[in-house]
Amino acid sequence: ICCNRPIPSSGLAKRTIIPSDSFFESVEMVAGQLHAFYITAKEPVLRYTKGRGGVGAIMSGNLDVQVLTGGGVGYYPFGQQAPGRDFNGVVFYDTIDTVRPKGSPNGDFVLPTYSPNSLPLPEPTLSPGTAASPSSSSGSSTTSTSNSPSTSSLQTSSFAGNVGSFGIFFDLMPLKAMELKSLSFHTDLTTLTQVQVYFRRGTYVGHERDASAWTTICDTEVFGRGFLNLTPISEYVFQSQNLAAAEREAIYI
């Protein structure tokens, strides 16, 4: 329990704020890890919304944190559940660079430092509102190391092109064995949008219209970062794939 006290209610359709000094202690959260919260009252007075997705779907988020769809509770304290319910409220937080784990005498655990336009995901880093150099050719590639110490990333081209539609096929040819952990993509949208990623062993050529030839490795909602920015897909909703060296693999997003 991180808070247990009476709170004056503000009424229907208004925010009822829990003062920060009401918490016994703040909750430290490490980047890239899921954390669960349960808020309850002894009377059926808490309001929530029926979610558009199932449990674990992204209901809201920004460049720092995502809030996922959870479940309602039928009676106090741990009663029958109604899955697929969205929390009505606000999460207050401060971002930090260093967290000292509780009970650890071995010093600080240093979190990776992320740019203002980055989530804790492996992706090429672009500064806010900018793209790769316009002088780069549309087929050029740049290699960068992400903020994760063990994950590398490859930006496939500049954003110089101005075409697009419902999706794109492409092949990967690994030069060494690797694990495909996630993708980032380019979209005009800055709203919550559904995206699917499909995978197959071998080239996509000849299989563009054959749905049975593909395996779904991601089907989720993400918040688009808009034109000239990369929109990342979280590793937590992406089924990673082991890729063998010199073996062609296909992606359809």
Side-chain angles (χ1 to χ4, degrees):
I1 297 178
C2 57
C3 178
N4 183 13
R5 61 164 290 178
I7 300 293
S9 173
S10 299
L12 181 64
K14 297 181 180 179
R15 294 178 180 176
T16 297
I17 298 177
I18 302 175
S20 59
D21 59 7
S22 298
F23 278 75
F24 300 147
E25 58 180 290
S26 60
V27 180
E28 296 174 345
M29 297 186 290
V30 177
Q33 294 185 359
L34 289 174
H35 297 78
F37 293 86
Y38 172 39
I39 179 171
T40 185
K42 293 183 178 180
E43 302 292 334
V45 296
L46 293 177
R47 310 290 295 185
Y48 47 73
T49 301
K50 187 174 181 179
R52 293 182 298 171
V55 173
I58 300 172
M59 59 163 286
S60 185
N62 58 23
L63 301 185
D64 297 323
V65 65
Q66 294 175 335
V67 181
L68 310 183
T69 296
V73 178
Y75 57 88
Y76 179 85
F78 288 92
Q80 183 178 359
Q81 296 189 25
R85 299 298 187 266
D86 288 347
F87 169 59
N88 290 174
V90 179
V91 177
F92 298 92
Y93 65 91
D94 291 321
T95 57
I96 54 180
D97 290 329
T98 303
V99 173
R100 182 183 298 276
K102 294 181 177 63
S104 172
N106 299 321
D108 292 338
F109 172 73
V110 180
L111 297 177
T113 300
Y114 302 103
S115 67
N117 197 33
S118 296
L119 284 171
L121 302 170
E123 60 162 330
T125 301
L126 295 178
S127 59
T130 63
S133 172
S135 62
S136 301
S137 65
S138 59
S140 66
S141 63
T142 57
T143 304
S144 64
T145 301
S146 74
N147 295 310
S148 171
S150 60
T151 301
S152 298
S153 61
L154 173 71
Q155 182 174 326
T156 58
S157 68
S158 73
F159 292 172
N162 191 27
V163 294
S165 192
F166 289 92
I168 185 169
F169 297 97
F170 62 93
D171 287 345
L172 293 174
M173 178 64 81
L175 302 181
K176 60 176 66 176
M178 62 181 62
E179 180 184 15
L180 176 66
K181 302 178 72 174
S182 188
L183 297 171
S184 297
F185 63 98
H186 187 200
T187 178
D188 294 343
L189 297 176
T190 56
T191 57
L192 191 66
T193 184
Q194 191 78 22
V195 63
Q196 295 88 32
V197 181
Y198 300 88
F199 174 82
R200 64 168 272 106
R201 303 290 179 183
T203 181
Y204 77 86
V205 177
H207 302 281
E208 296 91 334
R209 295 178 178 268
D210 183 8
S212 65
W214 296 87
T215 299
T216 305
I217 59 174
C218 181
D219 187 352
T220 190
E221 291 180 314
V222 298
F223 278 89
R225 295 193 180 180
F227 187 55
L228 297 182
N229 291 297
L230 288 170
T231 295
I233 299 175
S234 170
E235 293 179 17
Y236 291 101
V237 295
F238 192 97
Q239 183 180 338
S240 63
Q241 300 293 317
N242 291 322
L243 310 182
E247 295 289 337
R248 190 179 295 269
E249 320 280 8
I251 298 289
Y252 170 40
I253 180 171

